[in-house]
Amino acid sequence: AAEVLRSNGGRGYCYGQAKIFMHSTQQNTCCHDVLGSREGIGMRILITGAAGLFGSHLLEHVMKSTNWGAVGLVRLGRIGSLRRLNELMDGHPEWQSRIRVVWHDLRSPVNIYTAHEIGEVDYIVHAAASTHVDESITRPEDFVLDNVVATANLLQYARSLDGLEKFHYFST
């Protein structure tokens, strides 16, 4: 993957046609529509935690078994790994036009820029979470932010979507 620096100071990683855009909620970022129009693409799914173990496997399943477009929402904290997404994209270059990966920390509400980068979605699968029970005892505030606040922020975003058919939540 080649790192892409944009003129507005944002960073991204380019995997062929699929790009991962990184920004903070304070930064005014522009949107590059990787998926373009939905012509030829069935439904569109947003998968949070797409760089995690479960999320990356779900993304692979969606690509193999449907003609859907997918948006993977990632934070790349302790658990998520660009390696998983890189292997998925490198192994299946034909999927690159159907996958868009967007960086956002769900501990903050989904802002207008992130919502624009996500675009229209028909389904949301919320699989982003902190999962280590032993660490939740020593750092409970982090786990409340990651698992409770993040879910509330995503639910608030989902309420704003026209045409959202389903919201699936996977809890630890």
Side-chain angles (χ1 to χ4, degrees), residues 9-167:
R11 294 181 319 203
Y13 297 90
C14 181
Y15 297 93
Q17 292 182 9
K19 294 177 178 63
I20 299 173
F21 298 109
M22 306 181 81
H23 65 85
S24 69
T25 55
Q26 292 79 31
Q27 185 179 14
N28 183 358
T29 63
C30 61
C31 172
H32 299 279
D33 188 8
V34 174
L35 288 174
S37 75
R38 291 178 60 173
E39 187 175 321
I41 294 178
M43 300 295 208
R44 193 148 180 236
I45 186 170
L46 171 64
I47 301 170
T48 67
L53 183 64
F54 175 79
S56 63
H57 285 284
L58 177 61
L59 180 59
E60 181 178 20
H61 174 74
V62 168
M63 291 295 106
K64 283 181 178 178
S65 59
T66 72
N67 69 335
W68 295 6
V71 179
L73 198 64
V74 300
R75 182 180 78 192
L76 302 175
R78 296 177 305 100
I79 300 169
S81 171
L82 280 178
R83 178 187 50 78
R84 290 184 183 108
L85 296 174
N86 190 22
E87 289 172 359
L88 186 68
M89 302 267 212
D90 286 348
H92 300 278
E94 69 277 11
W95 294 348
Q96 292 180 4
S97 65
R98 294 172 47 208
I99 298 173
R100 178 182 179 97
V101 180
V102 177
W103 184 90
H104 179 73
D105 186 339
L106 282 171
R107 294 178 292 182
S108 296
V110 175
N111 60 45
I112 190 168
Y113 307 109
T114 302
H116 189 67
E117 289 180 15
I118 292 168
E120 294 179 18
V121 294
D122 301 291
Y123 298 101
I124 294 176
V125 176
H126 180 35
S130 289
T131 59
H132 298 280
V133 174
D134 55 334
E135 292 180 24
S136 71
I137 295 167
T138 59
R139 296 187 353 258
E141 298 85 6
D142 290 340
F143 281 72
V144 168
L145 289 171
D146 287 348
N147 297 342
V148 178
V149 173
T151 300
N153 286 333
L154 188 62
L155 285 167
Q156 188 64 29
Y157 166 69
R159 290 177 60 200
S160 73
L161 298 176
D162 292 329
L164 181 66
E165 292 188 31
K166 294 212 186 259
F167 182 106

